[in-house]
Amino acid sequence: MIIQKEFTLPGFKRGFHIITDIVTEVLGDLPESGILNLFILHTSAALSINENYDPTVLDDFHSFFNKLVPDDISLYTHIDEGSDDMPAHIKSSIMGSSLNIPIVNGRLHLGTWQGIYLCEFRNSIHRRKLIATIYH
């Protein structure tokens, strides 16, 4: 059986944000076992799983990606939407647009220190749409 839910996150500023609680709240009761596929419907933001305990990890990811892919408009030809647009597309491709998370005993089976990240790469705040597909 397949269950699908589309939902919109609240707007987040540029950076890395733990959204595990939002996702689990939207999903509600989960089947005893299965797989959650979480997909973001955007090309300038991404999803990831990483540490959910120390908030400096979020800051370090943000700093690293801004150095790896700078907002230097002289590097890009796709600049219609501003200096952060093409770098956001590149960062999104590096990080990825979907996650697969096992469901075990009716819960997302994340590790002790793992959380779901929204990786927001644009300077302006956007409300990002996600599709959650549960296979069970």
Side-chain angles (χ1 to χ4, degrees), residues 1-7 23-24 26-31 33-41 47 97-103 108 116 129-136:
M1 182 175 202
I2 298 174
I3 300 167
Q4 234 173 21
K5 293 183 180 183
E6 184 172 328
F7 61 98
V23 171
T24 56
V26 166
L27 294 178
D29 292 334
L30 294 172
S33 64
I35 296 286
L36 166 67
N37 174 267
L38 195 60
F39 182 80
I40 189 164
L41 293 163
L47 298 171
S97 57
S98 68
L99 303 172
N100 287 310
I101 304 169
I103 299 168
L108 296 180
I116 302 169
K129 290 184 182 179
L130 284 81
I131 294 181
T133 305
I134 298 170
Y135 303 90
H136 66 104

Side-chain angles (χ1 to χ4, degrees), residues 8-12 42 120 125-129:
T8 304
L9 295 171
F12 286 95
H42 301 276
E120 177 56 68
I125 292 175
H126 296 274
R127 291 176 45 94
R128 302 302 192 167
K129 290 184 182 179

Side-chain angles (χ1 to χ4, degrees), residues 44-99:
S44 57
L47 298 171
S48 186
I49 294 175
N50 215 294
E51 182 172 324
N52 67 355
Y53 180 73
D54 184 348
T56 62
V57 172
L58 302 167
D59 297 334
D60 289 345
F61 264 102
H62 184 63
S63 296
F64 173 79
F65 271 88
N66 287 337
K67 287 188 181 195
L68 181 67
V69 185
D71 287 1
D72 181 349
I73 208 159
S74 69
L75 297 174
Y76 313 109
T77 55
H78 177 73
I79 58 173
D80 293 343
E81 294 182 55
S83 63
D84 66 331
D85 188 38
M86 190 60 216
H89 295 313
I90 294 168
K91 292 171 187 175
S92 174
S93 287
I94 291 169
M95 294 300 289
S97 57
S98 68
L99 303 172

